[in-house]
Amino acid sequence: MKNSTHVYNPHVSVDCVVFGFDGEKLKVLLIERTIEEQNFSDKKLPGSIIFEDEDLDEAAIRILNELTGLKNIYLSQFHSFGNPQRTKNMRDKNWLEKLTNMKIGRIVTVGYVALIKISRKIIFESENTAANWYDVSSLKSLRLAFDHNEIADTALEHIRHKVKSEPSMLFELLPQKFTMTQLRNLYDIIMGTTSDVRNFKKKIMQIEGLEQLDEVQKDVPYRAPRLYRFDKKVHKKNTRKLYS
Amino acid sequence: MKNSTHVYNPHVSVDCVVFGFDGEKLKVLLIERTIEEQNFSDKKLPGSIIFEDEDLDEAAIRILNELTGLKNIYLSQFHSFGNPQRTKNMRDKNWLEKLTNMKIGRIVTVGYVALIKISRKIIFESENTAANWYDVSSLKSLRLAFDHNEIADTALEHIRHKVKSEPSMLFELLPQKFTMTQLRNLYDIIMGTTSDVRNFKKKIMQIEGLEQLDEVQKDVPYRAPRLYRFDKKVHKKNTRKLYS
DNA sequence: ACAAAAGTGTTGCCCATACACCCATGT
DNA sequence: ACATGGGTGTATGGGCAACACTTTTGT
C-alpha cells in the first residue's frame, strides 16, 4: 500500500460456465472464436468485462441474457482468477484488444456457474457470436482460450460440492417434466457415481417439492417411464432450516 | 462488449478475514482505523490493492505477511464483492484516497479466509497500522468500514461449510498441543452445535494424523486434561481419496 | 471434603447399502 | 417371442445419538 507505483488497476470481467443436460450427457456452452487473419478457430467461455456501474452478479445476468435471451437463470459465483499471466498469450491479447478497442493489460475474472434447461430452444446467434453445447467429457481434449480450461474444471468441482449440500439444484438442469432415470443419470454424471436404481429413488424422493405425476413419457420403444416434476415453491416453503 | 464507453476498470483488492482461537472464543483480526481530522475511529479487515504483477493468492500471502510476519498461513479464497456502492461512502473514499494517493472510483475485492494459531506471538504494529483480535460474536455490534461486515459474515459461512468437508482445517487454529475440550469447543463455536463429549471424541479420532500424547496440560486447578497433536504429514499420506 | 472439569462404554435406532425378479411396450 | 429398459421391497450391518458415573487435582 505504501508504494503506490506498484499499484495498478486491471480490468475485471465475469466468465460464465453454463451447464446444460440433454438427458444423457452433461454439456457446457462454449463460444466459437474465429480469428480470420490467422485462419484460426477455437472456443471460449462466455464472458465480458464488467460495466462501470454494474455489480458482479448483474454482469453475469447480463452476459447470459445477451447470449440466450433468458432471465432468471440459476447463478452461483464460485471463484476468481487473477494470475497476471492469464491474458499474456499474444493471440488472446490481440483478439481482446481488437474486440474491445482498448489496450488490455491484465484481467481479473470472476467465475460464475449457470445452470439452464437445455430444452428451452435458445437463440445462440447474437450478432457476431455463435455458441454451441459441448460434452463436458470432451473438455479435456479441447484447448480453450485463456485459462478457460482451468476455470471450467473449477466450476465442475464447484457444482460437485454444491450438489451434495443442495441437491435440488439438479432440477435447474432438467425440463419441467423428467424421468427418474434422467435425474439419476444427471446425478451420477456430476458426482461420478453409479447409483443403485432403488436406493436412489428412495433418497431423492425425500426432497420436498419433488413429486411423481400420473403421466408417462410418450413415444418410447419400450415400457413408458413415469414423469416427475419439481415444485420450487413447495420446496422453499418446507425447506427452511435444512441443509444441516 | 460492443459499447466500450460503458466499460471501466476498477481497482482490485484482496481482503482477508483472519480467524484465530484463544481456547475459548473464535476471534477475528481487525485493523484499527483512525481518522484524526474527524476524531473518528473504527475497524476494518486487513486488505490491500493488488500489485501490478501479483496473483490474487500472492496478494493475500503478502498482506498477511506484512501484518503478522508469518509465512505458510492457511488461506482459502471464498467470494468476491463488486457492488459499485461498496466504496461510495464518503468517509471510506476519502480515507482511501489519502492513504493511496490515488483517485479511487470503485474497488472489486476478493475475499480470503486465513486461519492462524493465535498462540504464536505476533507483531501487529507495522508502521502505521495496529491490529487486534475481536470476538466473532461481537461482530454484529461493530460497524466495520466498507462492506466488511458482510464480507466477514460470508467468511464465517464459508468456514462452516468447509469444516464439514475438511474437518482437519480446525487444527490450523489450535496450538501444536491442545486438549480435546479445546478442539470440541472450537468445532462447536464454528458449527453452532453442542456436541456430546464422548461421541465427539469417537468421531474426531477417526481423522488420520490426530493422536493422543502421553502428556497432560500443566498448571490447571483441576484434573489435568490430556494433550493431543495433529501431524499434517501423516494426515496427507493417508487421506488421499477421502472427502467423498 | 468439596468443587471443577476430565475421562470413559454400551445400547438402541435409523439410515444406507446390497440385492433379483417381474412388467410394459414396440418390433 | 423377444429385446429393451422400467419399476418395485426386504433384510442386514454400521454409524450415530443418547446417556451417567467415576477419577483426578487443587483449595
Side-chain angles (χ1 to χ4, degrees):
Chain A
M1 262 198 205
K2 56 190 169 182
N3 189 347
S4 55
T5 62
H6 283 190
V7 170
Y8 175 77
N9 49 343
H11 291 269
V12 173
S13 77
V14 163
D15 285 336
C16 296
V17 185
V18 186
F19 290 103
F21 180 64
D22 67 358
E24 305 203 332
K25 303 254 191 174
L26 190 65
K27 305 276 193 177
V28 207
L29 196 55
L30 298 178
I31 293 198
E32 312 293 338
R33 180 177 78 155
T34 310
I35 300 173
E36 282 159 8
E37 298 83 359
Q38 299 181 37
N39 213 20
F40 176 85
S41 166
D42 65 354
K43 295 131 189 38
K44 65 182 279 289
L45 295 172
S48 157
I49 293 183
I50 62 175
F51 288 166
E52 176 161 359
D53 213 44
E54 196 176 44
D55 196 357
L56 301 172
D57 291 6
E58 278 172 32
I61 291 168
R62 170 176 58 81
I63 290 164
L64 291 170
N65 184 258
E66 285 173 5
L67 185 65
T68 66
L70 301 175
K71 298 220 167 208
N72 290 330
I73 293 179
Y74 178 102
L75 271 172
S76 160
Q77 188 197 305
F78 66 95
H79 198 80
S80 296
F81 300 83
N83 188 315
Q85 306 306 318
R86 64 181 294 278
T87 44
K88 286 290 188 292
N89 177 302
M90 266 308 158
R91 176 189 293 141
D92 292 335
K93 194 170 166 165
N94 292 336
W95 178 82
L96 264 176
E97 294 190 340
K98 195 170 175 195
L99 182 75
T100 60
N101 264 324
M102 293 188 301
K103 183 153 170 43
I104 300 287
R106 177 181 174 185
I107 300 184
V108 171
T109 198
V110 182
Y112 277 79
V113 156
L115 305 180
I116 83 179
K117 301 183 195 303
I118 228 172
S119 53
R120 316 194 200 176
K121 284 288 175 264
I122 300 164
I123 323 103
F124 282 146
E125 305 287 342
S126 85
E127 304 182 30
N128 40 17
T129 60
N132 287 300
W133 291 110
Y134 290 87
D135 280 9
V136 163
S137 59
S138 72
L139 268 180
K140 42 184 173 309
S141 59
L142 290 176
R143 272 241 160 284
L144 304 185
F146 304 99
D147 53 355
H148 288 185
N149 279 101
E150 184 191 349
I151 295 179
D153 289 346
T154 312
L156 251 173
E157 267 303 302
H158 175 75
I159 60 171
R160 243 188 279 277
H161 276 109
K162 201 132 192 202
V163 164
K164 262 186 278 188
S165 61
E166 189 193 321
S168 65
M169 68 173 250
L170 292 172
F171 304 118
E172 303 289 341
L173 291 163
L174 290 163
Q176 291 211 323
K177 297 176 181 179
F178 49 87
T179 68
M180 191 51 68
T181 303
Q182 287 170 345
L183 176 53
R184 183 166 38 79
N185 280 347
L186 176 57
Y187 178 90
D188 280 343
I189 289 173
I190 293 177
M191 301 305 288
T193 51
T194 49
S195 304
D196 176 85
V197 185
R198 287 174 278 193
N199 294 337
F200 180 81
K201 181 174 177 181
K202 260 179 286 178
K203 199 170 82 178
I204 208 79
M205 289 305 288
Q206 293 170 357
I207 294 180
E208 284 287 339
L210 173 58
E211 55 183 20
Q212 198 173 43
L213 300 175
D214 289 328
E215 214 175 322
V216 294
Q217 201 171 47
K218 290 288 171 204
D219 300 321
V220 283
Y222 44 79
R223 175 173 178 178
R226 299 193 60 157
L227 292 173
Y228 297 77
R229 75 187 180 93
F230 176 69
D231 189 327
K232 225 184 220 176
K233 286 162 207 150
V234 174
H235 180 75
K236 289 217 174 120
K237 193 166 289 176
N238 304 0
T239 316
R240 286 274 172 258
K241 57 193 172 213
L242 249 77
Y243 301 148
S244 65
Chain B
M1 264 198 204
K2 56 190 171 184
N3 189 347
S4 55
T5 63
H6 282 190
V7 170
Y8 175 78
N9 50 342
H11 292 268
V12 174
S13 77
V14 164
D15 285 335
C16 297
V17 185
V18 186
F19 289 103
F21 180 64
D22 68 358
E24 303 204 333
K25 304 255 188 173
L26 190 64
K27 306 276 192 177
V28 207
L29 196 53
L30 298 178
I31 293 197
E32 313 293 338
R33 180 176 78 156
T34 309
I35 301 173
E36 282 161 8
E37 297 83 0
Q38 298 180 37
N39 215 19
F40 175 86
S41 166
D42 66 353
K43 293 133 191 36
K44 64 181 279 292
L45 295 172
S48 157
I49 294 184
I50 62 174
F51 289 165
E52 177 162 359
D53 212 43
E54 197 177 43
D55 196 356
L56 301 172
D57 291 5
E58 278 171 32
I61 291 168
R62 171 176 58 81
I63 290 163
L64 291 170
N65 184 257
E66 286 173 4
L67 185 64
T68 66
L70 300 175
K71 298 224 165 203
N72 290 328
I73 293 178
Y74 178 101
L75 271 171
S76 160
Q77 188 197 305
F78 66 95
H79 197 81
S80 296
F81 301 82
N83 188 316
Q85 305 307 317
R86 63 182 295 278
T87 44
K88 285 291 188 292
N89 176 303
M90 266 309 158
R91 177 189 292 140
D92 292 335
K93 195 170 165 164
N94 291 337
W95 178 81
L96 263 176
E97 294 190 339
K98 196 169 174 193
L99 182 75
T100 60
N101 265 325
M102 294 187 299
K103 184 151 168 47
I104 300 288
R106 178 182 173 185
I107 300 184
V108 171
T109 198
V110 182
Y112 278 79
V113 156
L115 305 181
I116 82 179
K117 301 183 195 301
I118 227 172
S119 53
R120 315 195 202 175
K121 284 288 175 263
I122 300 164
I123 323 103
F124 281 145
E125 304 287 342
S126 84
E127 304 182 29
N128 41 17
T129 60
N132 288 299
W133 291 109
Y134 290 88
D135 279 9
V136 163
S137 59
S138 73
L139 268 180
K140 43 185 172 308
S141 60
L142 290 175
R143 271 240 160 284
L144 304 185
F146 303 99
D147 54 354
H148 287 186
N149 279 101
E150 185 192 348
I151 296 179
D153 289 346
T154 312
L156 252 172
E157 266 305 302
H158 175 74
I159 60 170
R160 244 189 279 276
H161 277 109
K162 202 132 192 202
V163 163
K164 262 187 277 188
S165 61
E166 189 192 321
S168 65
M169 68 173 248
L170 292 172
F171 304 117
E172 303 288 341
L173 291 163
L174 290 163
Q176 291 212 322
K177 297 176 181 180
F178 49 87
T179 69
M180 191 51 68
T181 304
Q182 286 170 345
L183 177 54
R184 182 167 38 80
N185 279 348
L186 175 57
Y187 178 90
D188 281 343
I189 289 173
I190 293 178
M191 300 306 288
T193 51
T194 49
S195 304
D196 177 85
V197 185
R198 286 173 280 191
N199 294 338
F200 181 81
K201 181 173 176 179
K202 259 179 286 179
K203 198 169 85 180
I204 208 79
M205 288 306 287
Q206 293 170 358
I207 294 180
E208 284 287 341
L210 173 57
E211 53 182 24
Q212 199 174 43
L213 300 176
D214 288 327
E215 214 175 323
V216 293
Q217 201 171 48
K218 291 288 170 201
D219 300 321
V220 283
Y222 45 78
R223 176 174 178 178
R226 297 193 61 158
L227 291 172
Y228 296 76
R229 75 187 180 93
F230 176 69
D231 188 328
K232 225 184 221 174
K233 287 162 206 150
V234 174
H235 180 74
K236 289 217 172 119
K237 193 166 288 174
N238 304 359
T239 316
R240 286 273 172 260
K241 57 193 174 213
L242 250 78
Y243 299 148
S244 66

